[in-house]
Each structure stands twice: as C-alpha cells, then as structure tokens.
Amino acid sequence: MTVPTAESLGGGGPHWAAPARPVGEIVFACVILSLGVVGFVAGADIRTPPSASDIGPRAFPFVVSGLLVLIGVGLIFQLLRGHVGVAEEGEDVDPSIKTDWLTVLKLVGFVIVHIVLIVPLGWPVAAAVLFFGAAWSLGAKPWWRNALTGIVLALILQFVFAGLLGVSLPAGFLLEGVAIFNG
C-alpha cells in the first residue's frame, strides 16, 4: 500500500504524507459509534404507555441510534482498511497553520459561562453572553455591535421558542413577568 502525497492527490507544493493511521478520523468514528450506543441505552429507558400502538415512542430513537452505530462501524472499518478522506483543497485552507488554542479556550469558557448563567439569570441573558462571547472570541468588531446582536438574537429566540412554540426556557428575573417571553 502506498501513502498518498500532495502531488498524487492532485495538489502541488511540499511533499507531505498522510499518517498511517488517521487517528483524528478514527476518534470521530468512535464518537459516532458511542453516540449510537448511548442512544440505544437512553432509548431503552423510554416508557411506553399501554395505549401505544406497535410503533411507540422508542422507535425514532432506536432508528437514529441504529443508523449512528452502522455509520460508526462502517467508518471505523473503512479507516482501518486505509480509506481515508482526501484533504480539502479549498483556497481558504492552510494545513500549515496551527490551531489557535486561545480562541478554542475562550469559546469553551463562554459555553461554560452560558451553562452556569441559565438558571440564575435565565436563558436570554445567558444566550446573549454566549453569542457576544463567541463573536468576540472569533474576532468580530466592534464589541458593542456584538453585544447588541447577541441581545437581539437571544430575545428573538426566547420569543420564538417560549412565546410561540411553548418550549419552556427559563426567562429569568428580567423577563419573568413579560407574557410573550414565557413558555
């Protein structure tokens, strides 16, 4: 078996060799497989009422979980046989650039702050902080436009999900009395 190089894949430039085992792709396939297994375990806990027909509430989670398991096993099998994905040749992709871990840590931090703020301050405030933080972390400027956009998006989503669809999102103490924002 030969290892593909940039030139054999149609690209010019420096000679690079793909790793013998694509660890990242195998990890991704294992995550897909694990999601399928977790779906089966969680789906088994769904109670079926006696009045349910042949297809009960477990059917959809089991179908999705089965597809995830099949895809995960198929991906792992293909990767172990040496069938790896071809690197993207888009003009905006530069494989020599390192991962910006500071940006990743900022984004993870804002997701954690979002999770912590949902209960005490409500979903709209937590979502506005998350939207602002994501935009700021990714370099959007000016900061005040990011904050304004985050607030507007959070209020629109709160209205759509809680006010129109009736999904229970905690409105928080700021919007608790406003009927259109409560699910």
Side-chain angles (χ1 to χ4, degrees):
M1 180 174 119
T2 60
V3 177
T5 63
E7 289 179 3
S8 69
L9 293 174
H15 296 287
W16 56 272
R21 294 276 186 221
V23 177
E25 291 182 26
I26 291 174
V27 168
F28 177 76
C30 288
V31 168
I32 297 294
L33 176 63
S34 300
L35 285 174
V37 171
V38 168
F40 274 122
V41 171
D45 286 341
I46 296 175
R47 297 187 190 270
T48 305
S51 63
S53 64
D54 293 338
I55 298 179
R58 292 182 185 177
F60 184 73
F62 282 169
V63 168
V64 171
S65 299
L67 289 173
L68 286 171
V69 166
L70 286 174
I71 290 170
V73 168
L75 280 173
I76 292 170
F77 181 70
Q78 289 295 321
L79 290 169
L80 293 177
R81 290 186 62 212
H83 297 278
V84 297
V86 178
E88 184 178 337
E89 296 181 16
E91 61 187 53
D92 60 339
V93 176
D94 187 359
S96 65
I97 294 178
K98 302 276 186 212
T99 302
D100 184 5
W101 289 108
L102 179 61
T103 301
V104 172
L105 288 174
K106 286 180 195 176
L107 291 170
V108 169
F110 277 107
V111 169
I112 291 169
V113 167
H114 173 73
I115 292 169
V116 170
L117 291 180
I118 287 177
V119 172
L121 299 180
W123 194 89
V125 173
V129 169
L130 176 65
F131 296 154
F132 166 77
W136 173 75
S137 298
L138 295 172
K141 298 196 188 244
W143 68 268
W144 59 267
R145 189 180 312 151
N146 300 335
L148 183 64
T149 304
I151 292 168
V152 169
L153 280 175
L155 290 175
I156 288 172
L157 289 173
Q158 179 72 19
F159 171 71
V160 168
F161 280 96
L164 297 178
L165 298 175
V167 176
S168 180
L169 294 176
F173 66 90
L174 293 174
L175 299 173
E176 190 173 357
V178 183
I180 63 170
F181 291 119
N182 293 319

